[in-house]
Amino acid sequence: DTEVTQTPKHLVMGMTNKKSLKCEQHMGHRAMYWYKQKAKKPPELMFVYSYEKLSINESVPSRFSPECPNSSLLNLHLHALQPEDSALYLCASSQRPGSSSGANVLTFGAGSRLTVL
Amino acid sequence: AQKITQTQPGMFVQEKEAVTLDCTYDTSDQSYGLFWYKQPSSGEMIFLIYQGSYDEQNATEGRYSLNFQKARKSANLVISASQLGDSAMYFCAMRENSGGSNYKLTFGKGTLLTVNP
C-alpha cells in the first residue's frame, strides 16, 4: 500500500463544476507536491509546499488552486477546467524541503485520474 | 536542450534475463541526484534507486543497479532476472541542487518495458 493516499481515484467533471482532489500522508514529511501527467508523458511539476507554505508555483493557471491545511494534507481545488486539463494528477511528499540528500526521496501517491467533459 | 534523455521509447526482454534502460543527463551543477522511478499501468510512481553525484559506488537495490558513468553523464538502470511484474514505464529523473531548484525533479520521457514470458 502506498503511504501517500489520494482521493478520488477517478473524477469526471464538467467545465462549470467545482471539485477538489485530496492527498494525505502520515510519514511526517514537510514538503508536498502536485504533479500533472498527461498520457504517455512524464510528470510535470505544478506546486510545491514547504512547511505548509507555497514555495513553488510553476505558472499554473488560476483555475487550479492548491491548499495545504496542515502538514499531512494537501488539496487541489478545481474550477472552470478545460478538457485539456484531463490528466493524471499525482501528489508526492518528501521528508526535508530543499534537502539535496539522497534520503529526501519523493514518495508518490497512486494519482487521481481526472476527465473534464 | 533536454536535461534528461531516455532514447529507448520501448524495450522488450525475456523473463529471467537482464535488461539495461539508458539515461543520459545534462547539468552544469557539481551536486545533483539521479533517480529511477517505475510507473505501472495503475499510475503510481514507485521509487527504485538513487545515485548522488558524489557517490563513488554504483547504487544497488535488490535486482536494480545503477550504472553511473559521471564523465559520460549517463545513469543507466540495470534490472537483473526480469519478472513479468517488471512490465511498466520507467522514468529517469534528476534533481539539481543549486539555485533553489532542489525541490524539482526533471523527468525523462520514459521507457516502456515489456517482459515476455
Side-chain angles (χ1 to χ4, degrees), chain B residues 65-79:
Chain B
S65 60
L66 200 152
N67 184 1
F68 181 46
Q69 297 190 38
K70 195 169 180 176
R72 292 186 174 187
K73 293 189 174 177
S74 74
N76 298 340
L77 177 70
V78 180
I79 305 174

Side-chain angles (χ1 to χ4, degrees), chain B residues 1-100:
Chain B
Q2 287 184 52
K3 290 199 171 187
I4 295 283
T5 302
Q6 294 180 253
T7 57
Q8 306 152 316
M11 287 283 284
F12 293 88
V13 65
Q14 287 298 121
E15 196 177 6
K16 299 180 187 173
E17 300 280 311
V19 63
T20 297
L21 306 184
D22 293 342
C23 173
T24 57
Y25 61 91
D26 182 27
T27 181
S28 55
D29 282 6
Q30 296 300 308
S31 175
Y32 52 89
L34 297 157
F35 302 78
W36 278 93
Y37 281 86
K38 170 186 177 182
Q39 188 175 39
S41 55
S42 59
E44 183 183 356
M45 295 282 284
I46 301 167
F47 166 72
L48 296 178
I49 198 165
Y50 166 82
Q51 179 86 39
S53 57
Y54 294 121
D55 295 342
E56 294 186 353
Q57 303 275 350
N58 285 346
T60 61
E61 289 284 350
R63 294 187 298 112
Y64 305 108
S65 60
L66 200 152
N67 184 1
F68 181 46
Q69 297 190 38
K70 195 169 180 176
R72 292 186 174 187
K73 293 189 174 177
S74 74
N76 298 340
L77 177 70
V78 180
I79 305 174
S80 63
S82 297
Q83 301 171 356
L84 295 177
D86 293 335
S87 293
M89 182 70 86
Y90 288 80
F91 289 100
C92 180
M94 177 172 65
R95 181 177 61 210
E96 295 167 289
N97 295 330
S98 67

Side-chain angles (χ1 to χ4, degrees), chain A residues 49-89:
Chain A
Y49 273 84
S50 170
Y51 297 103
E52 296 91 69
K53 289 186 174 16
L54 184 64
S55 297
I56 294 179
N57 177 341
E58 291 282 293
S59 303
V60 178
S62 59
R63 57 185 184 269
F64 295 92
S65 175
E67 178 196 21
C68 190
N70 60 54
S71 60
S72 300
L73 292 174
L74 184 66
N75 297 322
L76 186 63
H77 302 298
L78 314 170
H79 174 54
L81 294 193
Q82 304 295 311
E84 59 264 29
D85 296 322
S86 298
L88 180 68
Y89 288 84

Side-chain angles (χ1 to χ4, degrees), chain A residues 24-58:
Chain A
E24 190 168 2
Q25 59 87 13
H26 295 287
M27 296 179 282
H29 288 180
R30 301 310 300 272
M32 296 186 77
Y33 309 75
W34 281 115
Y35 279 81
K36 173 182 178 179
Q37 187 179 23
K38 301 283 278 183
K40 301 188 189 303
K41 299 285 188 185
E44 296 177 344
L45 182 65
M46 300 175 73
F47 302 104
V48 180
Y49 273 84
S50 170
Y51 297 103
E52 296 91 69
K53 289 186 174 16
L54 184 64
S55 297
I56 294 179
N57 177 341
E58 291 282 293

